[in-house]
Amino acid sequence: MLRNYLAAALRNLARNRLYAAINIIGLAVGFAATMLIALFVRDELTYDRWIPGHESIYRVSGYTAVAEIKQAQDALPREVAEALTQETPEIAALGQLSFTEHYSLRKGETEATEEIHFANSQFFALFPLPVIAGNLQTALAAPNSIVLTRRFARKYFGRDAPVGETIEVNRDVVLRVTAVLEDLPSNTHLDLSIVIPIEAMDAIVTETYRRDIMYAYVRLAPDVSPTRLLAALPAFNERHPAFTKARYPYWLDTVTPIADIHLRPDNAGSMKPSGSAATIANATAIAVLILTIASINFVNLTTARATRRSVEVGVRKVSGAARRQFIAQFIGEAVFYAALGMAAAVAMTALALRSFNGFLQRTVTLDFARDPILILLPTVIVLVAGAAAGAYPALVLSRFSPARVLKGEPRTRVGRSRGRHILVAAQFAALIALALVATAITRQARHTSTEALRLDTDQMLIVHEGPRGSGCAPEFATHVRGLAGVRAAACIMGPVLGGPSLLMDVSAPNGMSAKSQYIVIEPGSFELYGLRPIAGRFFSSVYGSDAPPLDGKIDLAQNAIINAALARGLGYANPQDAIGETIRFTATIARSATEKRPNAVTEVVGVVSDFGASRNLKESAPPRVFFIEPDTLQTSGALHVKLTGREIPETLAAIDELWKKLGPPQPIERYFLARDIEARYGQYARLGEMVATFAALAVFISCLGLFGLAAFAAEQRTKEIGVRKSMGASGADIVRLMLWDFSKPVLWGSLIAWPAGYLIMRRWLDNFADRIDIEFWMFPTASALALLIALLTVVGHALLVARAEPVKALRYE
Amino acid sequence: MLKLNNIAKVYRTTDVQTQALDAINLEIRPNEFVGIMGPSGCGKSTLLNVLGLVDQPTSGEYWFYGENVAGYSEDQLTAVRRKIGVGFIFQSFNLIDDLNVAENVEVALIYRRVAAGERRRRVTKVLEHVGLSHRAKHMPQQLSGGQQQRVAVARALVCEPKLILADEPTGNLDTANGEAVMQMLEQCVGNDTTVIMVTHAEAFAARAHRCIHLLDGRIVDPISAAA
Ligand SMILES: Nc1ncnc2c1ncn2[C@@H]1O[C@H](COP(=O)(O)OP(=O)(O)OP(=O)(O)O)[C@@H](O)[C@H]1O
Ligand SMILES: [Mg+2]
């Protein structure tokens, strides 16, 4: 019995190779796309959940505050964390981890600047990361230890387990490898590759504040709920006025399970850009849309094909087959197709995974043995899609009266049923909505990394900023400016693109005050980035009062430039009003030059636009004030070099050569600003590209489906077309007839897709402070695209059919 | 064993209502060979479908081997058909394109819970009987019209039916092939098997034990039918 069914199913598949191929390929591509997105979403949702014992590990953090303005900070002074641990019996252990620091490592000929973290000896007790050599629990016990990941063990030692070998930091501190970690997967908030004990810090890190501020992780004692710790924090703050009144005042107020860190919004100083519920929601929506399109295709094509088998249904019925036997037969066949599609999809996913991971910077794996859900979910999808695709034709066909079917009536009503039209319209709706979402995401991504920055970042090279050497050493900077491939260069200290930085209180004569970022520049810095003053002027060496005298006397007048956000914050409705005003500022987190001028007075000479953006993009550019401070720049500024764009390799080599000759004795650190832009906003650009790619796939699937349907409709109407042609209708007439049939669902689909698409776009764009507008043209364009796809597919097919000889068409039946 | 009392069949479409059968009273005895004749559209196929339980009369009583099946649900009709064994032969053959000759014949046995070995034996035997053993593995499209109809006859006979219903079995065939099919049907008659055949050919109708004439859904006597 099964053989008889199977014979019918397989021969039907073979005889309808085109349909079968279209159906299975469409399904496979849809499944594969869905699977990739699902893997991405799963990666997002499983951050840090794979770390053994993560349930009892929490990050403790809080905020700094100036003039009652809070700024959440992920890291805190070490003494605060240590005091908390001592005074709180609920805390079983404290793990401390530094910010990402950049220092050079050297082993023999191999030397490079690497991202390095410092951690206390308890850190790995809280984070028992997978280790391939050495004992992690004692790895940070000796102050001269270093723990590497496999990648760096290979880079410096050429092998996986160089335990006991030594390596140099900063060309002077010698450390011994005590353990080698497996490279960390992407789904962790930790961005660790090289870890050195805190005890070695004094010898390596010169600035005290970089040694004092760290992330604090605690393990709670068994059965202690984090709310108890949270409840204890206000009292702790009260008990320690020393902490809240320090130069870096800090209040504790947050206890975060480590598994939740990734999806919390970014604070100042997070290790990796955080994920967002909006991204996950969008990715899921796209997966659902693609799955919908692919499934509708599948249902439509299966139904269309099934109607050609009405004779089989009739004969089987007359021979005594019951309805449920048909339902089982058709569902069985559809599940079989879906399973073929899924098998192909798994193969495609496995093939695509490498580039997918490379592209999204993930380490997602398709490990069926480890993840039963990877087997379970596809099975469920195959069964559901198969049942859905099989049920419709089964129900419709099995209801046919055999008397009618066997009389050789025009084969089918199902082919043109309203159900199918609704499904095709739904498919177009999904397609149009997807096109709209893709438009919003890609345009916003481009906007974020270009116009929203309001900076000309093209060909901008940044040379070494940092404590142990600055690209702004005068002799080096002068020589760089003289290179042929360099258009101009300027020294800047502070985040140009935006991001956490020193804050100061600024107050205006009108009594208003605002918290402002503080950035040190030199004349020509704004011009370098293609900026123009929106009021007043920029700094220039012709004005003596722009720069303070080199002796750093505090009470002398010095000019400042502020950005539009600060002008607004200080109550100037028009930027022009701020020009000539005398502002007063107080550094809140004292460092270097500002420490010298606790209460300086300065005149505003210019206002610049709000270039740059906050790192999480949810807030617009912060208020900023700009000064000239040559001494600060010389020690800790970065040289921003605008290249001409010609002979880039030669110019880079020349800069490296200059550094070796004139710079401090350590490797040069230089990178294009594009790298920073990519690191910050790359995830949005990548998401945009991903969505665009998946939208293209969806278009492809829809084309396949439409082609199949067009072929089916044409075949069904071969006789009609033959008759019309023998009556003198031209090929064009026939094509026109088919076109209208396929244009209608696009129009209906638009009706649903426009409002739905608008809502999804709106929700996505709400995540950005500086966002593109949703413009009306996007909607008809998306529909026009869908229409074009429909028409091209149908015309393509119809032309083939219309060219057929009328005789042949008539003989078909 | 087949008894129709006042059977009517009305087709309702949105705008028109067709009285396909009207007040049919008819009795058919075992081992009879009955011919049905009448002009196109008079209700012959409809009558045959009602007799074969693939269509439901709108009103009236239908005693089928001792059971009044009028008003039975589709599932009940299927069960009755399986029990008694009804073989159908159609004018347009209605072979399943995706199955070969042997598999097409086998379909008639599948739903009657015949074991696989037994099925193969009976298919082989019946194909021999209709002279198509050498074509068992051919697909329907590879056969001539006459051969296809012989497969359809084999499919009707393989379940050893008590009732064979043939709707213009020779309509699409030339004289020689028509004669062959006719002879096969004649051989079936008797041994507890009844054959009812719709035909337009007077010569074939004359070979039936008796002939029923239909006109506009009613049974008429031959004289008035001719008039
Ligand atoms: N499914 C249906 N819906 C509506 N009317 C129908 C249907 N099937 C048949 N009829 C009508 O019922 C009447 C009888 O049809 P039937 O097929 O029984 O005729 P027939 O005697 O077999 O004709 P022919 O010799 O041409 O095959 C016709 O008038 C036909 O139009
Ligand atoms: Mg008929």
Side-chain angles (χ1 to χ4, degrees), chain A residues 565-729:
Chain A
L566 183 55
R568 280 195 305 276
L570 293 176
Y572 300 107
N574 187 336
Q576 194 62 46
D577 302 343
I579 304 300
E581 294 277 290
T582 303
I583 57 171
R584 186 175 287 276
F585 57 90
T586 318
T588 58
I589 302 165
R591 180 169 113 175
S592 66
T594 40
E595 285 178 70
K596 297 180 206 157
R597 297 183 198 84
N599 241 313
V601 173
T602 174
E603 186 191 332
V604 176
V605 297
V607 178
V608 67
S609 68
D610 292 333
F611 63 84
S614 75
R615 183 166 164 172
N616 68 16
L617 299 173
K618 286 197 176 70
E619 297 130 33
S620 43
R624 285 166 161 177
V625 58
F626 303 87
F627 295 106
I628 295 184
E629 280 176 9
D631 52 341
T632 309
L633 286 180
Q634 278 178 29
T635 55
S636 38
L639 190 63
H640 293 226
V641 184
K642 179 91 172 170
L643 303 183
T644 57
R646 281 187 305 274
E647 295 175 350
I648 294 175
E650 290 82 353
T651 309
L652 294 181
I655 292 175
D656 291 352
E657 204 50 45
L658 284 173
W659 181 270
K660 270 199 199 125
K661 245 177 22 214
L662 307 167
Q666 64 183 85
I668 185 170
E669 194 200 341
R670 56 164 170 78
Y671 56 89
F672 281 96
L673 191 61
R675 186 193 79 174
D676 263 12
I677 296 177
E678 153 66 27
R680 262 158 210 247
Y681 309 121
Q683 54 166 331
Y684 297 102
R686 284 192 295 274
L687 184 71
E689 275 178 54
M690 183 175 96
V691 174
T693 309
F694 283 125
L697 284 182
V699 167
F700 170 73
I701 300 171
S702 302
C703 284
L704 280 184
L706 281 176
F707 189 84
L709 280 186
F712 169 73
E715 189 177 286
Q716 253 199 330
R717 295 166 78 171
T718 314
K719 193 166 186 174
E720 176 189 341
I721 291 171
V723 172
R724 282 177 193 268
K725 283 196 87 172
S726 64
M727 305 289 222

Side-chain angles (χ1 to χ4, degrees), chain A residues 11-12 15 317 320 406, chain B residues 74 81-82 94 98 103 111:
Chain A
R11 293 217 188 90
N12 193 280
R15 204 156 54 89
K317 261 193 152 176
L406 296 178
Chain B
E74 203 190 306
R81 234 177 20 237
R82 275 190 205 171
N94 281 328
D98 292 320
E103 286 160 349
Y111 301 100

